[in-house]
Amino acid sequence: MGNQAKLSASGNDYDFPVLKGSVGPDVVDIRKMYGQTGMFTFDPGFTSTASCESALTYIDGDEGVLLHRGYPIGQLAENSSFMEVSYLLLNGELPDADELSNFEFTISRHTMLHEQLLQFYRGFRRDAHPMAVMCGVVGALSAFYHDSTDISDPQHRKISSHRLIAKMPTIAAAAYKYAIGQPFLYPDNSLSYTGNFLRMTFGVPAEPYELHPAVEKAMDRIFILHADHEQNASTSTVRLAGSSGANPFACIAAGIACLWGPAHGGANEAALNMLKEIGTPDKIPHYIERAKDKNDPFRLMGFGHRVYKNYDPRATVMQTTVREVFDALKVTDPLFETALRLEEIALNDPYFVEKKLFPNVDFYSGIILSAIGFPTTMFTVLFALARTVGWVAQWNEMISDPGQKIGRPRQLYTGPTQRDYIPVDQR
Ligand code: CMC
């Protein structure tokens, strides 16, 4: 018999199995707890609860480690491509050369949108936030691809996964084009996944678009850094939505909605807005004091993480990438100096040291994205684009699990106990 965890409650002792992962903390298996004890556990923010079993991504927050299928994020960001990482996440192993080119070819065959779907954009106000457009248009995909929504059929799941990964750049670029009043560009499948996205975003039909190789590489790396991140809020949302058997397009739309929040994917937009508000390094101490003040809702955006209690390894790569993009484009941004100084001051401040608050992936990403030419409102859209592969890989993993059940948390009820209805004239 393996390890057991003991619970003593109301004069009784109970044993629960302790499960071991390949690495990381053991977990106490409490699936039978309610049946045996009549009690639930209480963990509203899932701070101590593993919601599923997964073989995709591993994070050691204390050490600042992030592995996809075992491979460190730093190695993937340095040597791999977003398409290769996507294959890895979906299939479990790195592809050989043929597998990679077949995968790239397959994805490139699905980049176009149904022509009618483009009409949807015209229903939105021009000043709509592109994340609002993303929620709507991605959700609408389920109205167009009926031939791939039978989730019990692995082939349907595969095609819908490929469609989502392939169409996301086209959908995101169209959201941008619509906002600025330029014509939509159709995909050009002779380009790389990332090159095609940049062209659809920044190109115009009137003239050829020249891809900047260093920008294409930096963008691809940013996509790699955002590809998956274990059971974060949006991934858990996708899993929960999918656990009821909802179709994958609807599930990914749910993930996008969750990602939008400033505590999650919306932090990249909020972080750059914050740096703009701070402006010059001399204003930093004032904002540091505000961040520490419990009565002030201001927080250092792009700082802190539920899991990382060390430097987010993605932030390290982001910081290097800022310099590469600046060199390639021969630009600079004084906000980068402000960000570096802010990081330095915060990392030497006892408040941030004691609470183990470090820069996360969003702290530097906005500086790169704005150097490339994206408005802040597009930042979270780019996150959604890249995270789609993680979402579909996690969704597929869940649906393929024979033990999968609908997600149905319980609660600690604190409302009124049963009482009788009183007619309105007697209240
Ligand atoms: N600035 C100032 N104080 C902070 C910050 C911050 N950015 N983050 C956490 N704290 C404090 C917080 O007030 C709390 O203090 P106390 O223990 O005295 O009450 C302590 O640190 C722990 O914070 P928490 O809110 O209990 O931690 P959490 O795990 O619930 O929240 C977080 C994690 C990421 C939501 C939070 O750190 C935060 O709001 N950061 C800013 C937003 C951000 O950058 N989000 C992006 C996360 S990475 C990308 C992604 O997931 O999409």
Side-chain angles (χ1 to χ4, degrees), residues 47 226 229 232-233 259 261-268 271 291-292 294 298-309 312 314 351-352 355 357 360-363 383 387:
T47 48
H226 288 94
H229 210 230
N232 56 84
L259 186 76
H264 191 8
N268 50 15
K292 296 190 311 193
K294 284 274 160 274
F298 177 80
R299 278 187 166 200
L300 277 196
M301 299 314 284
F303 249 80
H305 198 274
R306 170 62 61 79
V307 183
Y308 293 117
K309 302 301 166 200
D312 179 339
R314 302 167 301 171
Y351 174 94
F352 292 89
K355 294 187 191 305
L357 301 170
N360 60 49
V361 68
D362 293 322
F363 192 62
F383 194 155
R387 183 55 58 83

Side-chain angles (χ1 to χ4, degrees), residues 138-377:
V138 173
L141 289 175
S142 40
F144 287 84
Y145 299 104
H146 296 142
D147 61 339
S148 60
T149 50
D150 176 2
I151 62 153
S152 62
D153 182 335
Q155 200 53 26
H156 276 221
R157 295 207 297 272
K158 193 169 175 179
I159 295 170
S160 57
S161 302
H162 291 165
R163 280 185 169 144
L164 275 156
I165 295 165
K167 292 185 199 305
M168 207 52 104
T170 319
I171 294 172
Y176 174 68
K177 287 298 194 200
Y178 183 71
I180 60 168
Q182 287 187 359
F184 299 140
L185 254 66
Y186 290 112
D188 175 349
N189 292 339
S190 67
L191 299 175
S192 71
Y193 181 87
T194 303
N196 180 37
F197 169 65
L198 288 169
R199 182 189 149 274
M200 287 189 291
T201 305
F202 297 119
V204 286
E207 51 194 57
Y209 176 71
E210 256 184 61
L211 262 178
H212 197 306
V215 171
E216 184 181 0
K217 189 160 180 277
M219 195 72 239
D220 199 71
R221 188 183 285 163
I222 291 171
F223 288 162
I224 294 175
L225 295 180
H226 288 94
D228 191 47
H229 210 230
E230 211 227 58
Q231 307 311 319
N232 56 84
S234 57
T235 302
S236 299
T237 302
V238 170
R239 279 187 179 258
L240 194 56
S243 77
S244 72
N247 76 68
F249 305 107
C251 295
I252 301 307
I256 294 173
C258 176
L259 186 76
W260 194 359
H264 191 8
N268 50 15
E269 183 177 346
L272 194 75
N273 289 336
M274 175 195 75
L275 289 173
K276 283 182 186 160
E277 188 184 322
I278 297 175
T280 46
D282 57 305
K283 309 268 175 20
I284 294 172
H286 168 67
Y287 284 90
I288 292 274
E289 286 316 306
R290 283 191 62 191
K292 296 190 311 193
D293 182 355
K294 284 274 160 274
N295 300 316
D296 187 331
F298 177 80
R299 278 187 166 200
L300 277 196
M301 299 314 284
F303 249 80
H305 198 274
R306 170 62 61 79
V307 183
Y308 293 117
K309 302 301 166 200
N310 199 327
Y311 215 95
D312 179 339
R314 302 167 301 171
T316 316
V317 182
M318 279 292 182
Q319 210 197 79
T320 322
T321 310
V322 177
R323 294 200 168 89
E324 284 174 15
V325 168
F326 282 2
D327 286 350
L329 295 177
K330 300 191 178 41
V331 295
T332 180
D333 183 345
L335 289 185
F336 185 43
E337 291 312 314
T338 306
L340 288 171
R341 188 77 190 112
L342 179 60
E343 175 187 327
E344 193 188 325
I345 293 176
L347 295 186
N348 285 300
D349 187 298
Y351 174 94
F352 292 89
V353 174
E354 277 156 27
K355 294 187 191 305
K356 298 187 176 162
L357 301 170
F358 291 85
N360 60 49
V361 68
D362 293 322
F363 192 62
Y364 289 106
S365 65
I367 293 173
I368 309 177
L369 296 174
S370 91
I372 295 176
F374 291 101
T376 45
T377 50

